Amino acid sequence: MPAICVQHLRKAYGDLHAVDDVTFDVERGEVFALLGPNGAGKTTCIEIFEGFLRRDGGDVTVLGVDPGQRHEQRWLRTRIGVVLQELAVESFFTVRQVLERNAGFYPAPRPVDEVIELVGLREKADDKIKKLSGGQQRRLDVGLGIIGNPELLFLDEPTTGLDPAARRTTWELIRTLSSEGTTVLLSSHYMDEVEALAQRVAVLARGQIVASGSPTSLGGRDQGQVTVRFQLPHDVAVTDLPIAPSHVDGANIEFNTDDEVVVLNRLTHWALEHNFALAGLSVTRETLEDVYLALTHQSADPSEEALHE
Ligand code: ATP
């Protein structure tokens, strides 16, 4: 049985359909990412799965039980870990005190020192929470999420506000948990994070799932065009190239193709034959972010975004 099973989930706030007929499964042991722009309905979904929010319709099972049933919630909360978007602990405690206190809520918690080590707070273990930096507080959030040794971990934007090194530490931690068999439901706005961690993703837009699949195949990404770029060698004319490029900008040459193997073969064969270097040679597909923005009809250009409103 999947860790999370969602069928035709609905939740409205007044006239606003925050979650509108959402169906998906999260398999046990996988890292599953829920993507979507601000207000798409991710947190609403996650709070329903955690048993913190009542749904209006549809079926949900989390670790085999209905999180909407009050009598299941106590059991469920000992099996799940939650990292919310904001820290919700008393700031006059030290890191160690709050972890020790929360460890007492669970039947089989992880050792406190192990958690302090895993989230990289050893040097801050006896500091008061109010003295931690924003990024250190976020690491403590993750520590509080895993102190109960959960089967299923909900991570709502776990690396927002972290510096690049701390983000990587958190990624390593998520990989470690995943390799131990923990199921992770991740919400994130960072596509590199999703690509690095998630086996599957679902994209929410305006309360509905608009695409799902692996990060490499989302929205047909693995079948889209490939761009091959390099710089034209000195003393070589564009007309000397063995195939006509799609774009030329000074010495910058670009080929857009469905068949990168043939294009690369002809170009590299030609370059080797004439002893030319193909400076800056790169082969790129559409990024996950390109696909995501197209799926959610967002644009980097605010004037274009306004056209979709
Ligand atoms: P973000 O990426 O900004 O965290 P999200 O995808 O998590 O966004 P939700 O927080 O689930 O989005 O919100 C979905 C929609 O429901 C938004 O339009 C939001 O304004 C609305 N909403 C959320 N909570 C409430 C509430 N308690 N009362 C009324 N509207 C709400």
Side-chain angles (χ1 to χ4, degrees):
M1 166 174 293
I4 303 176
C5 196
V6 188
Q7 289 188 313
H8 307 296
L9 178 62
R10 286 189 296 105
K11 173 75 188 175
Y13 298 106
D15 293 338
L16 178 84
H17 295 281
V19 180
D20 188 7
D21 197 14
V22 162
T23 295
F24 67 92
D25 286 347
V26 177
E27 299 302 329
R28 286 192 190 247
E30 78 176 335
V31 179
F32 188 98
L34 211 45
L35 303 183
N38 293 136
K42 303 178 298 295
T43 303
T44 302
C45 282
I46 292 175
E47 289 184 351
I48 290 170
F49 305 156
E50 293 164 345
F52 294 144
L53 191 64
R54 200 181 51 77
R55 63 185 187 267
D56 294 336
D59 292 318
V60 179
T61 26
V62 176
L63 301 177
V65 302
D66 180 347
Q69 296 290 332
R70 284 196 86 146
H71 64 275
E72 307 281 20
Q73 287 170 357
R74 183 184 283 264
W75 177 87
L76 192 60
R77 291 206 182 131
T78 64
R79 297 292 199 282
I80 64 173
V82 175
V83 177
L84 300 171
Q85 282 190 18
E86 277 168 31
L87 188 80
V89 285
E90 305 83 336
S91 60
F92 48 84
F93 280 127
T94 68
V95 168
R96 187 186 300 284
Q97 281 169 338
V98 80
L99 285 167
E100 276 169 358
R101 196 263 320 259
N102 282 25
F105 299 154
Y106 298 93
R110 268 183 190 264
V112 168
D113 281 315
E114 186 182 304
V115 171
I116 288 172
E117 202 64 40
L118 276 169
V119 297
L121 283 176
R122 188 170 6 137
E123 265 137 48
K124 298 285 169 185
D126 297 310
D127 281 12
K128 288 215 162 57
I129 292 167
K130 62 181 171 204
K131 283 173 63 188
L132 300 181
S133 73
Q136 289 161 348
Q137 292 192 5
R138 199 72 193 121
R139 293 195 230 173
L140 176 59
D141 288 341
V142 176
L144 290 167
I146 64 171
I147 189 73
N149 205 7
E151 271 175 68
L152 169 62
L153 181 61
F154 294 97
L155 294 173
D156 204 352
E157 300 181 26
T159 64
T160 298
L162 295 189
D163 64 43
R167 285 183 74 212
R168 294 297 168 108
T169 309
T170 305
W171 291 7
E172 276 316 307
L173 170 59
I174 295 170
R175 288 196 184 107
T176 304
L177 295 168
S178 177
S179 69
E180 290 172 0
T182 311
T183 308
V184 179
L185 181 65
L186 170 75
S187 117
S188 178
H189 290 296
Y190 300 123
M191 297 301 138
D192 58 341
E193 178 159 295
V194 169
E195 204 145 25
L197 297 174
Q199 280 95 54
R200 287 195 305 140
V201 306
V203 181
L204 270 177
R206 299 177 183 89
Q208 296 187 324
I209 292 196
V210 291
S212 60
S214 70
T216 46
S217 68
L218 196 76
R221 189 180 160 215
D222 52 345
Q223 276 142 37
Q225 283 216 325
V226 171
T227 304
V228 177
R229 292 191 185 90
F230 62 90
Q231 274 145 27
L232 198 64
H234 292 300
D235 305 328
V236 175
V238 173
T239 46
D240 293 335
L241 288 166
I243 31 177
S246 313
H247 298 286
V248 179
D249 177 11
N252 298 317
I253 305 294
E254 186 176 305
F255 294 86
N256 299 318
T257 175
D258 291 324
D259 202 343
E260 68 273 24
V261 175
V262 169
V263 169
L264 282 169
N265 180 279
R266 292 191 57 191
L267 288 171
T268 50
H269 189 264
W270 167 81
L272 284 171
E273 209 171 57
H274 296 88
N275 208 18
F276 294 142
L278 298 182
L281 177 65
S282 71
V283 183
T284 50
R285 276 189 188 282
E286 257 188 322
T287 64
L288 183 59
E289 188 154 289
D290 294 333
V291 171
Y292 166 81
L293 290 172
L295 284 167
T296 55
H297 300 299
Q298 289 177 295
S299 165
D301 176 352
S303 59
E304 270 185 55
E305 192 169 340
L307 295 174
H308 292 293
E309 291 298 312

